[in-house]
Amino acid sequence: MFRSLPIVLGGLLLLSACAAPVGFEVRSAPADSSHQSAFDQGLVAGYWADTVETSSIDDNYASDWFGVKAKNAAKGQEVLPGDSSTDIGSGHKPVHESQVNDITDARAKLMGFFDRGARDIRPEWAAKAQVALDCWIEESTEVNSRGGILEVEDMNSCKNDFNAAMAKIEPFLPPLQAAEHLKMFELMPDQGAPPSPGMAGAPDTYLVFFDWNKSNLTPEALGIIRTAAANAKKATGAKVEVTGYADTSGPADYNLKLSKRRADAVKAELVRQGIAAKNITTAGKGETELLVQTPDGVREPQNRRAKIIIQIR
């Protein structure tokens, strides 16, 4: 009788090696993600927090769902948000029908923000928005015996977190001019392909934003400048123009000096990223040429910026 025990144990070990039991993901933490992008680091932190929280209430399917996402993000893999067809784990119902349309619209808006550079421009808030959307999705799959959403308050909390994060992203995104340009060419395919950044005559433009009354570069700004520098180095002889701006709060003469300091800060980082200083020109426009028109004395985040234009000669 006892001689068969090793065989039984061996079979159990083999089974566990082939398929981890439900709730297993929380037992090992994600890999070190400090070398990943700020966006991926934000995903790791957010998803892992949800992994631990759902595990603490024995919601093992949800814990595994969040845990896998955290670990994949830690590896630098692309992790996309769920959608209205998500079914989390065996025995879990899909997204509640009352939430399908709202979640579909929310995901489409988030992916649109990603297309406009949100992962690089506002990485921490972009990650918070994605994690909150998946939290919203997960909560909407939990139903009570009457078929209603089990924890409406928890679901609405996730939904509110999503909307709050999106509000922190939207003011910093560039306009949709590029997307509209590409759509026009899709409608008129006989015109040929539109010029892409890096081709002669097609300037590549980036916006870097600053905190109020500051000229130091935020983590988001550094990410944008790194991207701009990498693209500038792809072509020989690229010329870079950096123009600084300020909002209307404070005296005009002070804002002019502040805008020049912002341009100089961007130039210094471009040089650190390998762009020759002789190929970079700077200017400060103060509180003129506002991106968002405001009265005097208004603090407006989108007006506290520097514009980088890369021109391929």
Side-chain angles (χ1 to χ4, degrees):
M1 176 179 178
F2 291 104
R3 272 182 280 181
S4 65
L5 184 58
I7 297 175
V8 175
L9 288 175
L12 290 174
L13 290 172
L14 180 60
L15 179 62
S16 65
C18 295
V22 175
F24 180 80
E25 293 296 337
V26 76
R27 302 180 193 179
S28 60
D32 175 28
S33 62
S34 59
H35 59 290
Q36 302 297 351
S37 69
F39 174 74
D40 282 338
Q41 291 181 49
L43 290 184
V44 173
Y47 280 133
W48 190 246
D50 284 348
T51 301
V52 174
E53 181 178 351
T54 50
S55 177
S56 70
I57 57 174
D58 296 326
D59 190 349
N60 292 327
Y61 289 114
S63 179
D64 281 350
W65 189 58
F66 290 127
V68 168
K69 289 196 167 202
K71 293 177 181 180
N72 287 342
K75 298 173 186 175
Q77 298 178 10
E78 183 180 34
V79 177
L80 295 176
D83 56 37
S84 59
S85 65
T86 298
D87 187 356
I88 302 171
S90 175
H92 276 57
K93 293 183 178 180
V95 169
H96 194 273
E97 60 182 6
S98 67
Q99 300 300 306
V100 168
N101 290 338
D102 286 348
I103 286 174
T104 299
D105 292 344
R107 188 183 192 277
K109 184 175 181 180
L110 177 61
M111 296 305 293
F113 280 15
F114 287 171
D115 290 341
R116 292 163 65 187
R119 291 183 180 101
D120 295 320
I121 297 172
R122 298 287 275 174
E124 290 87 355
W125 288 106
K128 288 179 185 294
Q130 177 166 326
V131 171
L133 176 59
D134 277 345
C135 175
W136 176 6
I137 289 171
E138 192 279 324
E139 290 290 348
S140 72
T141 67
E142 303 281 356
V143 297
N144 56 34
S145 59
R146 298 183 300 277
I149 294 172
L150 184 63
E151 298 287 352
V152 175
E153 288 186 6
D154 289 348
M155 185 195 71
N156 286 337
S157 177
C158 297
K159 183 177 181 179
N160 291 338
D161 288 346
F162 170 79
N163 289 328
M166 294 291 278
K168 293 287 187 178
I169 299 169
E170 190 164 19
F172 295 88
L173 297 181
L176 289 169
Q177 295 173 348
E180 293 170 357
H181 181 57
L182 290 174
K183 179 182 285 189
M184 183 64 69
F185 273 88
E186 288 176 2
L187 294 174
M188 300 185 298
D190 57 310
Q191 300 297 313
S196 60
M199 292 180 61
D204 204 356
T205 303
Y206 302 83
L207 290 179
V208 175
F209 294 94
F210 295 83
D211 292 330
W212 181 75
N213 197 29
K214 301 290 185 182
S215 59
N216 56 299
L217 301 171
T218 65
E220 293 92 342
L222 289 170
I224 296 168
I225 296 170
R226 282 194 293 268
T227 300
N231 288 334
K233 288 187 287 188
K234 290 178 181 178
T236 303
K239 300 297 182 182
V240 182
E241 301 173 5
V242 182
T243 307
Y245 302 87
D247 61 24
T248 60
S249 63
D253 56 346
Y254 176 84
N255 286 335
L256 179 60
K257 295 175 182 177
L258 177 59
S259 69
K260 290 178 179 177
R261 292 200 301 273
R262 287 171 173 167
D264 289 341
V266 172
K267 177 180 178 178
E269 182 59 29
L270 287 168
V271 172
R272 278 191 287 271
Q273 294 296 326
I275 306 300
K278 66 179 181 180
N279 291 334
I280 306 172
T281 59
T282 62
K285 294 296 184 71
E287 57 185 62
T288 64
E289 300 182 19
L290 299 175
L291 194 61
V292 177
Q293 295 299 317
T294 69
D296 189 41
V298 174
R299 299 183 182 183
E300 170 52 55
Q302 292 195 71
N303 291 334
R304 303 192 296 264
R305 70 197 192 280
K307 180 168 64 177
I308 304 171
I309 297 179
I310 301 172
Q311 181 69 58
I312 309 300
R313 303 298 182 183

